Amino acid sequence: MAGYIVLGIGFGILAKVNGLSVLWVFLMSLFIYAGSMQFVGISLITGGASLITTAITTLLVNARHLFYSISMVDKYRGSGLKKPYLIFGLTDETYSLVCNDDAEEGFDKHKFYFLITILNQSYWVMGSLIGAILGGIITFNTAGIDFAMTALFVTVFVEQWKSTKEHRPALIGLGATGLCLIIFGSENFLIPSMALIAILLTILRPALTKKEAENE
Amino acid sequence: MSNTFIAISIAVMALVTLLLRAFPFLVLGNKTTPGFIVYLSKYLPYSIMGMLVIYCVKNVSLIVSPHGLPELIAIVITGTLQAFKRNTLLSIIVGTIAYMLLIQLCF
């Protein structure tokens, strides 16, 4: 969770250094609330991208959120008034936390997920604001600060890796995406990667389901 | 960059992101989730996190110097630290600072 503050600071500094005001940084973190997309958003806005380009880029960069939501349809069922915000706030980080943390029996799990979601956004908004303010006063070289996003995903990847003995899905993610990056190039590889991952997981389903049954 | 342009751009990004997040809930809403989706929701997270790691280094060229070395070193530092210390914040901060030092001072 606290990684969000660091990542938010990174975003805030980058946005400010690129000419976006503190108010815009705040509004982006409040309403878009999508880590990697906001980093991309800085270059879209400052580069004067057309609204169509912005819409399509958002669709592609955030397409993985479709999968996040699909995974959460069951978990968020019956969450009532909390549901719209739970859905709005389903970011990479919130998703990985809700995925891995099952609330204890007897505890209101939707309240628990709601707290995770709102805490995450608070950290994110706070970090962004701190970063945007820092961005106006710092004098050191900030080149490379966007590695915070890479570092975040690497730590989640390592945690997931340690949580299971079944590593094929993780390796499929790395392999399929790496392959598609080489074939389709850095502008167009995301959609093919997701398609390939879906196909490979479908092929692997009998094997994984069998393994699950044996372990039970 | 007019303020209107910035505001509309942010609104577009916010709306598309929200639509993506809400779509499965609107479509699958009150039905029982099909077995295939239950299966996907269990194993997909592992694949997607692998995808995101690659996504982060998509603009790194292995052919042109420094051949992705700063990224590789910083990722190994972040990953190793996380594997042994399991302190996410520490891993992110050390990894990011290491990367900044690498590209600013070494490469």
Side-chain angles (χ1 to χ4, degrees):
Chain A
M1 265 195 217
Y4 249 156
I5 292 193
V6 179
L7 192 67
I9 292 175
F11 165 72
I13 291 176
L14 273 186
K16 190 72 175 70
V17 167
N18 282 290
L20 289 172
S21 70
V22 176
L23 178 66
W24 290 127
V25 169
F26 175 69
L27 291 176
M28 283 177 86
S29 291
L30 194 65
F31 290 119
I32 304 176
Y33 188 34
S36 44
M37 188 53 219
Q38 286 181 224
F39 278 93
V40 180
I42 299 172
S43 58
L44 290 176
I45 292 173
T46 55
S50 72
L51 295 177
I52 302 285
T53 307
T54 299
I56 293 172
T57 307
T58 311
L59 194 68
L60 297 184
V61 172
N62 280 342
R64 63 181 187 282
H65 288 284
L66 269 181
F67 286 128
Y68 296 166
S69 290
I70 287 171
S71 317
M72 290 303 144
V73 167
D74 272 344
K75 274 198 170 179
Y76 286 177
R77 203 185 295 278
S79 50
L81 287 173
K82 297 184 191 77
K83 201 168 182 180
Y85 183 70
L86 283 174
I87 295 173
F88 164 79
L90 194 50
T91 59
D92 299 307
E93 181 73 350
T94 303
Y95 170 74
S96 62
L97 287 171
V98 172
C99 248
N100 298 331
D101 278 324
D102 283 309
E104 284 177 28
E105 285 295 315
F107 194 82
D108 181 354
K109 63 174 183 166
H110 292 129
K111 197 174 168 188
F112 180 68
Y113 299 149
F114 187 79
L115 280 175
I116 289 182
T117 309
I118 204 161
L119 270 178
N120 267 343
Q121 190 171 17
S122 309
Y123 281 133
W124 178 245
V125 171
M126 244 189 315
S128 308
L129 282 176
I130 295 169
I133 292 163
L134 281 178
I137 52 177
I138 49 166
T139 47
F140 68 84
N141 186 354
T142 53
I145 201 158
D146 45 344
F147 187 81
M149 180 166 78
T150 315
L152 169 71
F153 294 145
V154 169
T155 57
V156 176
F157 184 85
V158 168
E159 280 307 306
Q160 286 191 345
W161 185 275
K162 290 178 83 94
S163 73
T164 176
K165 286 198 172 82
E166 177 53 67
H167 296 314
R168 280 176 290 183
L171 293 173
I172 282 175
L174 288 176
T177 313
L179 187 69
C180 289
L181 177 59
I182 293 168
I183 296 173
F184 297 96
S186 63
E187 301 296 317
N188 303 308
F189 74 109
L190 217 44
I191 297 291
S193 302
M194 289 191 291
L196 185 56
I197 287 170
I199 291 168
L200 290 173
L201 282 182
T202 307
I203 294 171
L204 205 59
R205 190 182 177 193
L208 286 180
T209 316
K210 195 175 160 219
K211 197 176 166 184
E212 243 176 68
E214 281 166 3
N215 288 342
E216 272 162 17
Chain B
M1 271 197 305
S2 76
N3 282 339
T4 318
F5 173 74
I6 299 175
I8 297 174
S9 296
I10 292 175
V12 167
M13 285 186 261
L15 191 67
V16 174
T17 305
L18 182 61
L19 283 176
L20 281 166
R21 286 174 182 159
F23 185 76
F25 287 94
L26 299 174
V27 174
L28 293 168
N30 296 311
K31 296 171 211 139
T32 326
T33 313
F36 181 63
I37 288 178
V38 175
Y39 163 76
L40 271 190
S41 67
K42 185 164 182 190
Y43 291 104
L44 201 56
Y46 301 101
S47 304
I48 293 293
M49 211 48 71
M51 183 188 90
L52 286 175
V53 171
I54 303 289
Y55 170 77
C56 286
V57 295
K58 68 185 161 82
N59 291 318
V60 176
S61 172
L62 299 177
I63 299 156
V64 182
S65 176
H67 312 288
L69 262 181
E71 287 77 15
L72 183 69
I73 295 170
I75 286 174
V76 169
I77 290 174
T78 311
T80 311
L81 201 57
Q82 183 64 21
F84 289 102
K85 292 277 180 190
R86 308 195 76 160
N87 180 336
T88 303
L89 188 56
L90 180 76
S91 308
I92 292 176
I93 291 177
V94 173
T96 305
I97 291 174
Y99 182 72
M100 291 173 75
L101 292 175
L102 280 169
I103 63 163
Q104 289 179 20
L105 305 176
C106 304
F107 292 94

